[in-house]
Amino acid sequence: MSQTPQQEPWQWEEAHWRRLVNQVRAGRSYRPKFWKNGARCAVALSFDSDHETNELRDGGKSIGRLSWGQYGNRVGVPRIRQLLDRHGVKATFFVPAVTALLYPDEQRSLVEEGHEIGVHGWIHELNSVLPYEAERDLMFRSIDTLEALTGVRPVGLRTPSWDFSPNTLRIEQELGLLYDSSLMADEDCYELELDGEPSGITELPVEWVRDDAVYFMMNRFSALRPYTPPEGVLDVFRREFEAAYAEGGLFQLTMHPHIITQRSRIWILEEIVRLAKAKGDVWFATHAEVAAYAKANAASDDPA
């Protein structure tokens, strides 16, 4: 019996739901026995510089929400740069191409300071609603744009909104990327499999619990108004870090310049950095550095 759009999931044949599940899967674990220079834990800080693209991607024209995006460039990124410089920490900034075109000097400054720029779509589009040709074109144009503006070709992708289509991994292979950072099958790095075969691309996994937006993001024109006190968010992030440290694993954190840098919140990031540095055996690294090291120093060939 072939599958039809009218069928309910409980009517699907086993071959159909297995095909859906196996499109993109976690394969070999890439957790190393030790991190670089014998560090017990790796810390990978990331910032999604969405800026105005949060509003533009849905055809929005709200001046208020566009100004919120500008805050990310005008206040957010400079505040983050100062904090990272103060502590001697490098991070990864995932940047939509439209953001880079609006603020090329921001991206150049980050690269000059030793931070990594990763791909984050063209205009923060949703990959799952795009046909293959459109998704491929936008991804190739995005990486070319970032390279032209910064002089460095990105090696990693974070899909906008972590929205991963059935074609995304294949396009990443075409681009020759080192890693992806959009999926959630583990807490440590692993190799992505495409249709049951190793893809050669390392996943540096994310998680909503380690993302500032789910605690603070709001939209006054909808019912989306979550708010967790900053102390509560610090507690979540701190517990995630302490567990990663205890296990000798990876602590990855996703933040947004227009969200985490408000005066009442930026201290959360600083506290996490201080806590990690106080351990004495933590390696702060960009996502590209973590992905490359994990792949090259995986402790086991056994699947995750």
Side-chain angles (χ1 to χ4, degrees):
M1 181 175 63
S2 61
Q3 317 313 136
T4 69
Q6 289 74 35
Q7 284 187 313
E8 297 292 341
W10 57 267
Q11 295 175 304
W12 290 347
E13 291 183 350
E14 180 175 339
H16 181 67
W17 52 255
R18 283 192 180 276
R19 182 181 62 79
L20 294 177
V21 168
N22 289 326
Q23 290 176 102
V24 177
R25 297 288 277 174
R28 177 188 176 192
S29 173
Y30 281 158
R31 179 193 281 191
K33 186 175 182 180
F34 298 104
W35 293 97
K36 189 173 182 179
N37 299 323
R40 179 178 179 84
C41 176
V43 173
L45 303 177
S46 65
F47 303 89
D48 292 358
S49 298
D50 302 335
H51 298 1
E52 287 89 343
T53 64
N54 268 324
E55 179 69 0
L56 295 173
R57 75 109 174 257
D58 293 322
K61 303 173 184 177
S62 167
I63 301 301
R65 289 182 65 80
L66 290 171
S67 73
W68 193 23
Q70 187 180 11
Y71 176 96
N73 163 262
R74 187 180 178 90
V75 179
V77 171
R79 191 165 281 170
I80 292 167
R81 287 170 57 194
Q82 291 169 7
L83 189 156
L84 296 176
D85 181 66
R86 189 159 61 246
H87 290 281
V89 170
K90 305 305 179 187
T92 299
F93 291 75
F94 292 98
V95 184
V98 168
T99 291
L101 290 167
L102 284 169
Y103 305 110
D105 289 343
E106 175 183 295
Q107 319 318 320
R108 295 186 188 112
S109 295
L110 288 168
V111 169
E112 288 171 2
E113 292 166 8
H115 302 296
E116 178 193 3
I117 299 294
V119 185
H120 198 44
W122 178 261
I123 196 168
H124 211 265
E125 64 278 356
L126 295 177
N127 286 358
S128 63
V129 302
L130 298 175
Y132 166 77
E133 294 78 9
E135 182 181 357
R136 183 183 187 279
D137 174 62
L138 290 173
M139 206 180 292
F140 270 76
R141 276 201 284 150
S142 297
I143 198 170
D144 288 345
T145 298
L146 293 176
E147 181 180 23
L149 291 175
T150 67
V152 178
R153 190 165 182 82
V155 298
L157 167 76
R158 173 170 293 159
T159 57
S161 300
W162 302 344
D163 188 48
F164 210 92
S165 87
N167 299 312
T168 302
L169 183 54
R170 194 178 307 279
I171 298 170
E172 289 179 318
Q173 286 182 311
E174 292 183 61
L175 282 166
L177 294 183
L178 167 67
Y179 76 91
D180 176 84
S181 185
S182 317
L183 302 176
M184 311 180 192
D186 205 322
E187 294 157 327
D188 292 292
C189 294
Y190 56 89
E191 183 176 22
L192 287 170
E193 291 184 351
L194 177 63
D195 295 326
E197 297 295 329
S199 70
I201 293 176
T202 300
E203 179 63 30
L204 204 159
V206 293
E207 225 299 324
W208 291 113
V209 75
R210 298 190 308 274
D211 185 307
D212 60 354
V214 298
Y215 305 107
F216 298 128
M217 193 75 167
M218 65 92 62
N219 185 341
R220 71 185 183 91
F221 298 115
S222 74
L224 181 63
R225 298 194 180 193
Y227 192 84
T228 305
E231 293 84 357
V233 178
L234 173 62
D235 187 57
V236 174
F237 290 172
R238 177 182 62 81
R239 290 173 185 271
E240 285 284 322
F241 166 72
E242 291 285 8
Y245 181 84
E247 296 173 3
L250 166 68
F251 173 68
Q252 185 278 339
L253 193 59
T254 301
M255 294 159 286
H256 299 77
H258 67 294
I259 296 176
I260 197 64
T261 61
Q262 300 291 338
R263 289 167 174 161
S264 61
R265 301 172 186 165
I266 188 66
W267 65 273
I268 299 171
L269 173 58
E270 188 141 33
E271 285 299 308
I272 289 295
V273 171
R274 286 174 175 164
L275 175 66
K277 292 187 75 173
K279 296 290 188 183
D281 56 350
V282 167
W283 177 43
F284 285 90
T286 66
H287 281 47
E289 290 171 331
V290 168
Y293 186 88
K295 182 175 183 178
N297 295 276
S300 173
D301 290 332
D302 294 334

